[in-house]
């Protein structure tokens, strides 16, 4: 019986995505603007022109997009693309890297592959735009909006109405803490100390975002990073389905992140912050959602877990959870987007979901 209920929850997630796309894509968006801060899970082209290995503007990435490879780390749309559709935007939120001035009022995507809360995270792969630098870029956007509207007060009033997606932390583990050959954090911090240090820094960064007018902020937790094909292949699982240490560290970080959300809501009473349980949404039996392959990616990968250029991927992409060794397929991204917008389990979001956040 429980399995049947879960199946219906997964199916309902897909139905909500579809219905909201049909209902809202031609209507006025539910929020006037949508700003995105994150890493490769939501990067849509900001890394394309950077000297880095963390790029995806080549085939087979984007194989299911009409325009082909764009810099998205998936076969198709990522989570924020789908959220933008659900919210009623008629265009995907553009990357900061190729922003036209007319786009700034409806939102900007600042996300950068390999970026982290910490400045050094992902540096072994090349140049990336850390969260600190993403906030600097948002400061540029704030100045442009201020100039266009004539005052900081007018800019702030506009930005107060927007939705903000913030999702960082994965690279601070996968491309920092778990790479002692490149970084010293695992020598300097216990898991508990590292999570605490990350959360302290993260909290200060989110307060900077608040100072630029952010009042409706959805903070996405770290997903089950121990279940990525890269973790399973590189670390081994000792008989478990996933790399338990990686997942325990992610859960430790997320537990502290929930406390941070409580703290921010208590201190910054003119704003509302919510937590999205990416770990919980990404856990469980993937077969209940129709997925048949969850331990390997759909495309052949290179030594850093990204698709090999122009190699042919799997044909049954909707049956795969992962596109490469780190990133979800569009089919999986639909579930993340749907359950963050409208929770299907009480634990999906806290203290409310995005559909309620945007109405405040």
């Amino acid at each position: 019986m429980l399995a049947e209920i879960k199946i219906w929850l997964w199916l309902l997630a897909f139905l909500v995505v579809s219905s909201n796309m049909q209902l809202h894509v031609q209507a006025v968006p539910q929020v006037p603007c949508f700003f995105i801060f994150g890493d490769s899970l939501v990067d849509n082209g900001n890394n394309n022109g950077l000297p880095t290995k963390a790029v995806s503007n080549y085939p087979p990435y984007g194989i299911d997009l009409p325009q082909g490879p764009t810099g998205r780390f998936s076969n198709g749309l990522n989570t924020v693309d789908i959220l933008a559709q659900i919210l009623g935007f008629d265009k995907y939120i553009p990357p900061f890297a190729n922003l036209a001035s007319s786009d700034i009022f409806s939102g900007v995507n600042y996300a950068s592959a390999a970026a982290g809360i910490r400045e050094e995270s992902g540096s072994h792969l090349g140049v990336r735009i850390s969260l600190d630098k993403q906030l600097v870029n948002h400061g540029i956007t704030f100045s442009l909006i201020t100039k266009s509207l004539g005052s900081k007060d007018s800019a702030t009033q506009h930005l107060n109405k927007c939705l903000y997606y913030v999702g960082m932390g994965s690279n601070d583990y996968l491309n920092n803490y778990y790479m002692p050959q490149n970084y010293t954090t695992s020598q300097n911090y216990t898991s508990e100390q590292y999570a605490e240090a990350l959360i302290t820094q993260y909290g200060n960064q989110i307060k900077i975002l608040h100072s630029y007018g952010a009042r409706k902020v959805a903070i996405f937790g770290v997903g089950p990073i121990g279940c990525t094909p890269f973790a399973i292949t590189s670390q081994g699982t000792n008989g478990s389905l996933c790399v338990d240490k990686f997942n325990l560290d992610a859960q430790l970080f997320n537990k502290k992140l929930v406390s941070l959300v409580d703290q921010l809501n208590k201190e910054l009473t003119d704003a509302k912050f919510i937590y999205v349980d990416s770990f919980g949404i990404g856990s469980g039996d993937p077969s209940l959602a129709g997925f048949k392959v969850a331990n390997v990616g759909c495309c052949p990968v290179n030594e850093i877990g990204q698709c090999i250029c122009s190699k042919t991927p799997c044909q049954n992409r909707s049956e795969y959870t992962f596109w490469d060794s780190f990133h979800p397929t569009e089919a999986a991204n639909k579930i993340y987007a749907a359950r963050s917008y409208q929770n299907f389990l009480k634990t999906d979001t806290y203290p409310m979901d995005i559909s309620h956040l945007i109405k405040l």
Side-chain angles (χ1 to χ4, degrees):
M1 183 65 183
L2 182 59
E4 291 177 357
I5 292 172
K6 288 182 177 179
I7 290 171
W8 280 108
L9 287 172
W10 286 108
L11 290 173
L12 188 56
F14 280 107
L15 289 172
V16 167
V17 168
S18 300
S19 63
N20 274 287
M21 285 180 193
Q22 293 168 1
L23 286 171
H24 299 300
V25 74
Q26 298 300 327
V28 175
Q30 297 174 62
V31 285
C33 32
F34 183 22
F35 289 92
I36 297 144
F37 300 81
D39 51 29
S40 57
L41 292 173
V42 292
D43 186 350
N44 66 343
N46 284 309
N47 276 26
N48 288 355
L50 301 181
T52 176
K53 294 179 181 178
V55 290
S56 60
N57 57 339
Y58 61 87
Y61 287 103
I63 191 171
D64 294 318
L65 293 175
Q67 63 271 50
T70 58
R72 291 169 171 83
F73 287 75
S74 188
N75 59 303
L77 301 177
N78 62 34
T79 300
V80 294
D81 293 324
I82 299 160
L83 272 173
Q85 289 181 324
I86 295 172
L87 292 167
F89 290 93
D90 58 0
K91 296 178 182 178
Y92 304 123
I93 305 302
F96 180 80
N98 59 342
L99 194 66
S101 59
S102 59
D103 290 323
I104 59 176
F105 287 97
S106 59
V108 182
N109 185 333
Y110 302 100
S112 172
I117 295 167
R118 294 176 67 93
E119 183 65 32
E120 81 274 10
S121 294
S123 59
H124 68 285
L125 293 169
V127 175
R128 67 266 157 262
I129 309 164
S130 66
L131 182 53
D132 281 337
K133 290 176 180 173
Q134 291 180 36
L135 289 166
V136 170
N137 288 341
H138 188 54
I140 294 171
T141 301
F142 182 85
S143 297
L144 290 170
I145 292 176
T146 297
K147 184 178 179 181
S148 180
L149 295 180
S151 72
K152 284 188 176 181
D153 285 346
S154 296
T156 301
Q157 286 174 16
H158 175 74
L159 292 168
N160 285 171
K161 303 170 187 175
C162 309
L163 173 66
Y164 296 80
Y165 170 109
V166 184
M168 302 292 281
S170 296
N171 287 310
D172 297 291
Y173 286 97
L174 293 172
N175 285 311
N176 189 328
Y177 196 65
Y178 299 147
M179 301 190 97
Q181 69 274 26
N182 297 106
Y183 307 94
T184 61
T185 45
S186 61
Q187 300 161 38
N188 298 335
Y189 298 94
T190 64
S191 292
E192 173 75 27
Q193 290 168 340
Y194 191 58
E196 189 62 38
L198 287 175
I199 291 297
T200 298
Q201 186 172 351
Y202 207 12
N204 291 332
Q205 292 164 329
I206 293 168
K207 288 177 182 177
I208 292 172
L209 181 60
H210 174 268
S211 74
Y212 284 125
R215 296 296 181 267
K216 301 175 182 182
V217 185
I219 306 173
F220 283 62
V222 171
I225 53 177
C227 299
T228 59
F230 186 85
I232 293 170
T233 302
S234 64
Q235 301 294 315
T237 62
N238 294 320
S240 298
L241 290 174
C242 303
V243 181
D244 292 336
K245 173 178 169 40
F246 285 17
N247 281 348
L248 287 171
D249 284 343
Q251 288 174 302
L252 177 61
F253 174 86
N254 289 338
K255 183 178 180 182
K256 292 179 181 293
L257 186 55
V258 172
S259 297
L260 175 62
V261 165
D262 281 335
Q263 177 189 332
L264 291 168
N265 281 323
K266 185 176 180 180
E267 292 181 9
L268 305 173
T269 54
D270 61 344
K272 193 67 179 181
F273 302 85
I274 70 167
Y275 166 75
V276 177
D277 184 16
S278 300
F279 192 98
I281 294 171
S283 299
D285 184 356
S287 67
L288 296 177
F291 295 110
K292 296 181 179 179
V293 184
N295 60 345
V296 295
C298 173
C299 69
V301 297
N302 58 22
E303 72 282 357
I304 60 171
Q306 294 177 195
C307 297
I308 298 172
C309 185
S310 298
K311 286 284 188 179
T312 304
C314 67
Q315 297 301 306
N316 52 334
R317 293 183 278 280
S318 63
E319 296 179 354
Y320 277 69
T321 303
F322 288 96
W323 167 242
D324 57 17
S325 289
F326 291 105
H327 306 100
T329 56
E330 180 180 306
N333 283 330
K334 287 181 179 179
I335 293 173
Y336 281 104
R339 291 178 64 173
S340 63
Y341 177 77
Q342 184 173 325
N343 58 358
F344 298 99
L345 299 176
K346 289 183 178 180
T347 53
D348 284 350
T349 60
Y350 170 83
M352 66 184 69
D353 58 30
I354 290 173
S355 72
H356 288 86
L357 174 67
I358 60 177
K359 293 175 183 176
L360 296 178

